[in-house]
């Protein structure tokens, strides 16, 4: 479980988070959405330990960055293996776990290719595999599909939903996409100017043919309304 109460964070004199409150139950998904500069990524980086918290957040977490963070001089398989502590894992176990991730993410055929030889969607899958290989309690995603075309976005979103069903975990993701937030978020946190503006519960997340349902569009409208209210 993630529980933050009154969290503030500044970059010099610029206040990025202002008494932010957030509760995420273990084994659930939470979308964080809001306009550019509202503090979404700062919040995610604090949860990941990439920025110092006044009270450190100690739960084991893994983060997938917007630019994927793959090393261009390493193969896909080698990049995924970087998610393991090589000092604690034998080579045979590392190979087995890396192969497991390649299969889980459906990218076995690109194992020996380099990042510049594969598509954006494949790079995203490799980045997710590298994070999942360490079995984090919490998976953090920063704009998971922002650089992808519409069909590739949906494939990544479908993949994340499938992974969540297969490997129960706590998923927290930042997005600018209302549709992505509604498709993947059981809870949708709307932010404005560094604070929580509204929380929308999304009990229909994961339902069959969700994108084509009336409930999906009703929830999208609710999120849009909350975003527009924050801009007033």
């Amino acid at each position: 479980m993630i529980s933050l109460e009154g969290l503030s964070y500044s970059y010099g004199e610029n206040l990025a988070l202002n008494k932010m409150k957030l509760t995420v139950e273990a084994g659930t998904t939470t979308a964080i959405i809001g306009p550019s500069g509202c503090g979404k990524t700062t919040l995610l980086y604090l949860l990941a330990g990439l920025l110092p918290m006044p009270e450190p957040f100690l739960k084991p977490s893994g983060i997938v960055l917007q630019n994927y963070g793959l090393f261009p001089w390493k193969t896909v398989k080698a990049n995924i293996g970087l998610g393991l502590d090589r000092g604690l894992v034998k080579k045979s176990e590392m190979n087995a776990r890396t192969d497991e991730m390649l299969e889980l993410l459906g990218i076995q055929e690109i194992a020996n290719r380099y990042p510049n030889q594969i598509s954006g969607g494949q790079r995203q899958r490799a980045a997710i595999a590298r994070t999942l290989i360490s079995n984090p309690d919490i998976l953090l995603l920063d704009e998971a599909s922002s650089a992808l075309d519409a069909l590739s976005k949906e494939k990544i979103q479908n993949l994340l939903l499938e992974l969540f069903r297969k490997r129960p975990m706590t998923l927290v993701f930042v997005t600018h996409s209302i549709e992505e937030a509604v498709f993947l978020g059981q809870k949708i946190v709307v932010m404005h100017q560094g604070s929580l503006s509204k929380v929308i519960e999304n009990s229909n997340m994961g339902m069959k043919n969700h994108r084509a349902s009336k409930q999906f569009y009703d929830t999208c409208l609710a999120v849009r309304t909350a975003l527009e209210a924050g801009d007033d």
Side-chain angles (χ1 to χ4, degrees):
M1 177 177 177
I2 299 171
S3 181
L4 304 176
E5 183 73 26
L7 176 66
S8 297
Y9 191 87
S10 297
Y11 297 98
E13 297 181 356
N14 297 318
L15 184 64
L17 293 178
N18 184 20
K19 298 179 181 179
M20 178 70 189
K21 297 180 181 180
L22 178 67
T23 300
V24 179
E25 299 295 333
T28 65
T29 70
T30 296
I32 302 174
I33 192 169
S36 297
C38 72
K40 304 185 299 296
T41 296
T42 295
L43 175 60
L44 201 73
Y45 283 13
L46 285 165
L47 294 176
L50 299 179
L51 293 173
M53 265 198 189
E55 296 180 7
F57 183 72
L58 299 177
K59 292 185 179 296
S61 61
I63 186 168
V64 179
L65 300 172
Q66 187 175 355
N67 65 357
Y68 313 134
L70 300 176
F71 290 107
W73 59 88
K74 289 185 177 291
T75 65
V76 167
K77 184 171 182 175
N79 266 288
I80 294 172
L82 292 174
L84 293 172
D85 187 335
R86 293 169 179 255
L88 299 177
V89 179
K90 295 179 180 179
K91 185 175 181 179
S92 58
E93 181 184 352
M94 184 179 72
N95 284 331
R97 289 173 64 177
T98 303
D99 287 341
E100 177 189 357
M101 287 297 108
L102 288 165
E103 182 177 357
L104 181 67
L105 276 295
I107 50 176
Q108 304 98 313
E109 75 281 0
I110 62 168
N112 296 315
R113 296 183 193 173
Y114 292 88
N116 67 350
Q117 297 174 323
I118 60 178
S119 69
Q122 290 170 328
R123 288 195 291 270
Q124 184 64 285
R125 287 173 182 251
I128 293 170
R130 184 182 58 191
T131 302
L132 289 181
I133 199 171
S134 62
N135 294 317
D137 293 335
I138 302 168
L139 179 61
L140 307 171
L141 298 165
D142 184 19
E143 297 286 349
S145 62
S146 63
L148 305 177
D149 61 77
L151 290 179
S152 296
K153 283 179 189 286
E154 289 196 3
K155 287 179 181 178
I156 288 295
Q157 292 162 10
N158 292 340
L159 170 68
L160 289 170
L161 179 59
E162 182 182 356
L163 289 174
F164 177 72
R165 288 168 170 163
K166 287 181 177 179
R167 298 166 65 94
M169 70 185 84
T170 305
L171 174 63
V172 180
F173 64 99
V174 162
T175 183
H176 277 102
S177 167
I178 293 173
E179 290 78 11
E180 183 168 87
V182 175
F183 184 74
L184 287 174
Q186 293 171 319
K187 178 189 292 185
I188 302 166
V189 174
V190 180
M191 288 184 63
H192 182 65
Q193 294 184 349
S195 300
L196 189 154
S197 174
K198 188 177 182 64
V199 175
I200 297 171
E201 300 293 338
N202 182 24
S203 60
N204 296 306
M205 176 269 190
M207 69 179 288
K208 188 175 181 180
N209 299 322
H210 189 198
R211 288 191 185 93
S213 69
K214 181 179 182 300
Q215 294 94 326
F216 182 84
Y217 288 98
D218 287 345
T219 309
C220 285
L221 179 59
V223 175
R224 182 178 297 278
T225 301
L227 288 168
E228 290 174 347
D231 288 336
D232 291 343

